[in-house]
Amino acid sequence: MALTGALLLTSAPMASADAVRDAQWPLTIYDAEKVWKTSQGAGVTVAVVDSGVDANQPDLTGQVLAGKDFTGGGDPHNDTDGHGTGMASLIAGHGHGANGSAGVMGLAPKAKILPVKAPASAGTETWAAGVRYAVDQGASVINLSFGDSSAYPGSAGAEAIKYAQKHDVVVVAATGNDSGTVSYPAALPGVVAVSAVDKDLKYWSSSNKGNVTVAAPGVQTAQADPTTRSGYAVADGTSGSAAYVSAIVALLRSKYPDLTAGQIINRLIKSASFLNNEGKKAPDSELGYGIARPGSALTMNIPAGPKDGPLAQASPPTSTTSGSASKGNDGTNPVKNEKKSSSGSIFLIAGIAAVVVVIAIVFAVIRSRRNRGSGGPGSGGGVPPQGTGYPPQYPSGHQPYPNAASNQGYPAPAGQQPQYPNPYTQQPPRQGQ
């Protein structure tokens, strides 16, 4: 299996837990203390499909559920890579020490983390099984901070994501870090594809472009890392950006439990902003519909919108439905049977219609001759004039995608159905947090 953006995280260890909180600039940008007065993600389960999550990490104690290891090791809490624990800390860390003043605070500190140990390196089939497991365990948000070029439409990974979307789960994925086009699975229809911005809210140049949904902090983000001596690291990558957006989705799902996954995504998109990025027009190839803003997403007056939400949806299967529901009791196709049983009636009706047409023609000819007296042939001719519909003009089977011009010249990866997000006519605001 080939991987796209296999290394979605570059990190450096931090000196101490006390220095971590000061380094968490995204919490300052987002005015997290104010956000938490509205929602902290309580009652929401976020599945982190990754390298596992260390449940003993001080900032995550009590937040990590049992989960499952799909790699054969048997322990989803054994994270020898550190990546999964880092993502979990950005989502649901609660800090530690006096008043939780040390360590990592996640943006949704009361959300629960479902660890699904199934990194992209284990293969598409493996993490796809992990996605399905997360859905069946009740996760309403799934974080995929990795790239897998084998997760193209029709693959096991794509089908697992469709399964999640069918069960009203929001799937969030990192766009990738190789300055290329948005990688799979972020490139799949309906997935919230997240690029990265830095402390100045400017686009991170290594972040992948194309059909981006929103952007979020992903440069110099402080997070837990059980593989370092201090237990923490500062990292660059769209992995962290995706984790922050997963946290925002958790905040929204907690406050608006009656909204569908698509309607949650609608709030996420409609509240995004191009703050500090003048001249951008949505959808932008780098920032999508803007930088995700939790405070605005939680409090803005945004119509719920259609249940499916604004993102393009996956195409239905082209093959016929299998199983007993598609066949009659005798195993035959009921549609074919219907055609056979109605064929006699069709021929009878056609015969009657032909007789009526002949009579009408004869009547018209006789009447025409009477009107002209003994005149010669009429001047009408037998060839219909241009523009009368002959020969029949069949509509083209290729309809343009909405916002087709928004691809900004970045080609979709091979085999990809282009995903052109097409939110409603309401334009998101461009100021504030």
Side-chain angles (χ1 to χ4, degrees):
M1 181 192 71
L3 292 178
T4 298
L7 183 62
L8 283 177
L9 176 73
T10 57
S11 61
M14 291 200 71
S16 68
D18 292 336
V20 172
R21 188 62 53 83
D22 293 337
Q24 287 195 269
W25 64 268
L27 299 183
T28 303
I29 291 291
Y30 282 145
D31 196 0
E33 293 290 344
K34 183 177 180 180
V35 168
W36 293 332
K37 292 178 181 179
T38 304
S39 176
Q40 296 187 40
V44 176
T45 297
V46 181
V48 176
V49 182
D50 213 300
S51 59
V53 178
D54 182 0
N56 294 320
Q57 205 281 337
D59 304 327
L60 287 169
T61 55
Q63 299 300 98
V64 185
L65 302 175
K68 186 173 181 179
D69 184 352
F70 285 82
T71 67
D75 185 5
H77 299 155
N78 180 24
D79 182 11
T80 57
D81 180 86
H83 191 269
T85 303
M87 299 306 99
S89 70
L90 295 180
I91 296 168
H94 52 53
H96 67 275
N99 299 318
S101 59
V104 175
M105 281 293 293
L107 195 54
K110 290 191 176 178
K112 295 294 184 182
I113 297 294
L114 179 69
V116 181
K117 191 170 183 177
S121 59
T124 308
E125 298 277 352
T126 300
W127 67 258
V131 167
R132 291 178 180 272
Y133 164 81
V135 174
D136 295 341
Q137 292 298 305
S140 60
V141 188
I142 296 178
N143 185 82
L144 305 176
S145 287
F146 58 78
D148 179 0
S149 61
S150 297
Y152 46 80
S155 67
E159 292 303 309
I161 288 174
K162 285 171 62 176
Y163 178 77
Q165 292 166 340
K166 181 180 178 181
H167 287 80
D168 199 43
V169 176
V170 178
V171 180
V172 181
T175 61
N177 300 339
D178 55 15
S179 302
T181 55
V182 175
S183 61
Y184 292 117
L188 291 168
V191 175
V192 178
V194 188
S195 63
V197 294
D198 60 20
K199 293 180 181 180
D200 296 322
L201 301 183
K202 298 298 185 182
Y203 175 75
W204 183 50
S205 61
S206 294
S207 187
N208 288 8
K209 306 174 184 179
N211 293 319
V212 175
T213 308
V214 291
V219 180
Q220 292 292 292
T221 57
Q223 56 200 47
D225 186 344
T227 68
T228 66
R229 180 174 297 181
S230 68
Y232 298 94
V234 173
D236 296 338
T238 58
S239 285
S241 308
Y244 273 120
V245 170
S246 289
I248 295 172
V249 172
L251 297 175
L252 291 171
R253 302 224 80 164
S254 179
K255 180 172 173 58
Y256 299 102
D258 295 330
L259 293 185
T260 65
Q263 290 166 339
I264 291 292
I265 295 172
N266 180 48
R267 289 196 72 90
L268 180 72
I269 286 176
K270 292 293 177 56
S271 59
S273 170
F274 287 127
L275 187 70
N276 287 10
N277 291 275
E278 293 183 6
K280 293 286 189 181
K281 182 179 179 181
D284 179 70
S285 66
E286 296 177 344
L287 303 179
Y289 289 89
I291 299 165
R293 302 186 299 167
S296 298
L298 288 166
T299 59
M300 279 181 63
N301 181 17
I302 299 173
K307 291 183 177 180
D308 287 342
L311 296 187
Q313 301 298 306
S315 302
T318 55
S319 59
T320 56
T321 304
S322 60
S324 59
S326 65
K327 295 187 177 183
N329 293 332
D330 59 353
T332 57
N333 189 316
V335 176
K336 290 183 179 180
N337 287 342
E338 182 181 347
K339 288 183 178 179
K340 287 181 180 179
S341 64
S342 62
S343 59
S345 299
I346 292 173
F347 286 127
L348 177 61
I349 293 171
I352 294 173
V355 172
V356 172
V357 170
V358 170
I359 293 173
I361 292 173
V362 171
F363 178 78
V365 170
I366 293 173
R367 184 175 180 179
S368 175
R369 287 180 177 178
R370 285 178 179 175
N371 290 340
R372 293 196 305 267
S374 59
S379 60
V383 180
Q386 293 296 320
T388 60
Y390 292 88
Q393 298 299 310
Y394 294 97
S396 170
H398 300 282
Q399 300 298 328
Y401 285 94
N403 290 341
S406 68
N407 200 30
Q408 305 292 330
Y410 294 96
Q416 178 186 351
Q417 283 287 342
Q419 173 193 349
Y420 296 104
N422 187 22
Y424 321 110
T425 55
Q426 175 188 347
Q427 291 298 315
R430 295 290 178 249
Q431 289 86 29
Q433 292 300 318

